[in-house]
Amino acid sequence: VQPLSAPTPAPRAPEGVSSSSAADRPLRIVTLLCVSAMGTFLAQGLLYPALPLYLHNDLGTSLGMAGLIMSSQSVSAILARPWSGRRLDTRGRRTFLIVGPLITAATALGLLALHSIVAVLVLRMIQGVAHGMFCGAATATVADVPPP
């Protein structure tokens, strides 16, 4: 029969931080990431029904070309993820968590002002890179958050 060991004490909060705020930190991190992800996905997702119509009806592209322009965002996101993954490990995630959504917002606003097929294609590809940066950083950050 093995003797019962004493329960391990709960981890202590860093000096100057109350224990309740240290315990709430994982929840705050995940909540902030969820809000940020929602904004990023809304900025891109709201374009999906309207942008092909704009490309076809206003800019005169074929429906096939409109589809290629729409899918260019996904292709550039896939291509950017290995690059951004390596940078996440060397430069930290915070930069990518901030820069990714900012680029997404800037390119979404840029799409409102531009009236060129090439410009729309370039902005969609930049959005894809920003999406790849953000999603990789958000996923890695959530994986590092300790369970409650």
Side-chain angles (χ1 to χ4, degrees):
V1 176
Q2 294 182 350
L4 294 174
S5 61
T8 56
R12 299 186 69 196
E15 186 144 338
V17 177
S18 70
S19 61
S20 64
S21 65
D24 292 341
R25 189 168 189 266
L27 179 61
R28 285 194 316 252
I29 291 171
V30 171
T31 302
L32 184 60
L33 283 173
C34 286
V35 169
S36 183
M38 184 178 72
T40 300
F41 283 105
L42 273 174
Q44 292 179 354
L46 290 175
L47 298 172
Y48 289 137
L51 191 56
L53 295 173
Y54 169 72
L55 289 168
H56 179 67
N57 296 339
D58 295 351
L59 297 184
T61 65
S62 67
L63 291 175
M65 180 58 73
L68 286 174
I69 291 171
M70 293 300 294
S71 64
S72 67
Q73 185 261 342
S74 297
V75 172
S76 64
I78 290 169
L79 295 175
R81 285 185 181 175
W83 171 85
S84 67
R86 285 189 295 276
R87 299 307 176 284
L88 286 170
D89 292 334
T90 58
R91 297 191 179 159
R93 297 175 183 133
R94 184 181 197 121
T95 301
F96 290 89
L97 289 171
I98 295 169
V99 171
L102 289 177
I103 292 172
T104 299
T107 54
L109 291 173
L111 287 170
L112 295 173
L114 299 176
H115 304 289
S116 160
I117 297 168
V118 174
V120 172
L121 175 65
V122 169
L123 285 181
R124 289 294 291 168
M125 293 176 78
I126 292 170
Q127 270 189 337
V129 171
H131 184 72
M133 290 168 47
F134 174 76
C135 287
T139 303
T141 302
V142 168
D144 286 345
V145 173

